[in-house]
Amino acid sequence: MNPPTAPAARAKDFLSILDLSHEDLGRLLELAARLKADRPLGRQAPTADALAGFHVAMLFEKPSLRTRVTFEIAVRELGGWTMDVPGQFGLGIREPLPDVARNLERWVKALVIRTFGHDRAATLAAAAPNLHVINALSDQEHPCQALADMLTFREHVGSWRGRTLAYVGDGNNVATSLVHAAPQLGVHVHVASPAGFELPARVVDDATRVARDGAAIRVFRTAREAVAGADAVYTDVWTSMGQEDQAAERAPAFTPFQVNRELMAAAPSGALFMHCLPAHRGEEVTSEVFDSGASVVFDQAENRLHTQKALLLMLVGAR
Ligand code: CP
Ligand code: NVA
């Protein structure tokens, strides 16, 4: 698979699922499925040298297991190199962010950034026309996660169009990207969050605007209502990275939204359980559900690799 068969994305950067047209989103997920099938070929895979000679910089302001490891492996398996942007340089402190980007673009093809400030990633992307900036999770969005989630959903459910995904819990970065992605693929989304922790109205509006094939976003008051008719039940932690000091005050509001046996029984039999990980067993999900046959969480984790390889090929390798 040389560059001509890996389609170039129209977008330079991937800060949001909304940066991709629905055609590019579909192409990316098809490419990811092919890359997954090709992975056993190792160095004989047609994409093994697609990023040869290219460096991808990694800048993580928060912890990561899955995102970090899968990007490292993805770049290597495509023949490129990763490098850490040294943490001690103080992003935006020692010199303005646009200048950081204008330096980086002279050395590397892409920057994978996990940051507390979505606007920081946007500032870096806007300042450097030759640097592909990839959002590896921000306070607002986690678009790389949603790519893997949608591939996993189709692998297990068999299709997207007309299916239903229920998201129960915090209207956070993971929920935002999921709600951006699923309706573009024709998947209905049901969302239930505690009062005060709902998805921003702008996210629901954007998702409604990009929805296709009749997909609808419906917001419910209770978790039980949201999971009725759902092919999968998705949740995330009650307190995201950086919100740890709110854990005790959030818990009472979130407890009725725990994904447990009773809630899964309110979903159709055979409904999947999904989670971006890391999970806090006993909080947003019980161990029983997490370890049950319904759980596809490690498939989601695996698919981070294949979908990010596809993303790198479409943003960087195909140009
Ligand atoms: N799901 C996810 O992004 O995991 P990490 O925080 O470990 O990267
Ligand atoms: N919402 C979580 C996701 C972690 C992958 C967080 O931001 O911490």
Side-chain angles (χ1 to χ4, degrees):
M1 198 189 309
N2 289 317
T5 57
R10 236 177 24 206
K12 172 178 85 76
D13 307 298
F14 184 61
L15 304 184
S16 171
I17 286 286
L18 299 177
D19 287 343
L20 296 179
S21 64
H22 88 94
E23 289 92 351
D24 279 346
L25 177 60
R27 286 187 198 113
L28 191 156
L29 293 169
E30 298 312 332
L31 179 58
R34 271 162 58 201
L35 293 165
K36 184 170 185 172
D38 280 350
R39 192 170 185 227
L41 299 175
R43 296 302 305 153
Q44 306 310 313
T47 51
D49 294 315
L51 296 190
F54 294 163
H55 279 90
V56 174
M58 315 280 270
L59 203 170
F60 279 62
E61 297 184 313
K62 316 186 198 188
S64 170
L65 171 65
R66 281 147 290 273
T67 310
R68 181 65 202 237
V69 171
T70 52
F71 265 115
E72 295 270 357
I73 295 174
V75 173
R76 274 189 229 173
E77 290 188 359
L78 296 173
W81 294 286
T82 59
M83 53 92 41
D84 269 337
V85 178
Q88 79 273 16
F89 85 115
L91 188 58
I93 296 171
R94 194 159 161 257
E95 57 194 308
L97 282 177
D99 289 355
V100 173
R102 292 166 69 194
N103 277 270
L104 285 173
E105 73 173 340
R106 298 297 178 105
W107 308 316
V108 305
K109 279 279 177 193
L111 170 67
V112 173
I113 179 167
R114 170 166 286 199
T115 175
F116 286 100
H118 192 86
D119 54 329
R120 290 196 226 188
T123 300
L124 291 162
N130 295 313
L131 181 70
H132 300 283
V133 179
I134 296 175
N135 179 1
L137 182 147
S138 69
D139 52 337
Q140 293 176 23
E141 304 191 31
H142 195 4
C144 293
Q145 180 68 49
L147 297 176
D149 297 340
M150 296 320 299
L151 183 63
T152 309
F153 183 84
R154 189 180 66 175
E155 285 174 347
H156 285 274
V157 174
S159 59
W160 287 312
R161 193 176 176 157
R163 300 293 190 169
T164 300
L165 178 58
Y167 179 88
V168 170
D170 194 15
N172 62 14
N173 44 10
V174 167
T176 293
S177 293
L178 200 60
V179 168
H180 283 161
Q184 287 202 58
L185 299 165
V187 177
H188 303 294
V189 182
H190 293 180
V191 184
S193 307
F197 300 98
E198 297 94 344
L199 275 173
R202 173 184 42 80
V203 172
V204 177
D205 290 347
D206 285 341
T208 305
R209 179 173 49 77
V210 299
R212 301 186 64 87
D213 300 325
I217 298 101
R218 298 177 66 197
V219 178
F220 296 89
R221 251 180 350 99
T222 67
R224 279 186 79 84
E225 290 170 290
V227 304
D231 296 285
V233 177
Y234 197 123
T235 194
D236 186 15
V237 291
W238 293 346
T239 49
S240 287
M241 288 180 275
Q243 301 172 333
E244 289 79 4
D245 59 347
Q246 300 172 24
E249 93 193 48
R250 282 175 170 240
F254 278 87
T255 300
F257 293 82
Q258 184 188 62
V259 180
N260 50 33
R261 189 201 317 187
E262 293 71 35
L263 187 66
M264 290 303 286
S269 76
L272 307 174
F273 170 70
M274 301 181 73
H275 194 307
C276 56
L277 306 181
H280 295 168
R281 293 158 183 257
E283 292 186 16
E284 76 275 6
V285 59
T286 57
S287 285
E288 185 183 24
V289 170
F290 187 94
D291 294 321
S292 72
S295 177
V296 295
V297 298
F298 298 111
D299 293 337
Q300 292 172 258
E302 177 185 339
N303 284 335
R304 297 292 306 275
L305 173 62
H306 311 301
T307 46
Q308 287 160 199
K309 268 181 159 172
L311 176 69
L312 288 163
L313 279 173
M314 287 181 63
L315 280 189
V316 183
R319 283 183 157 82

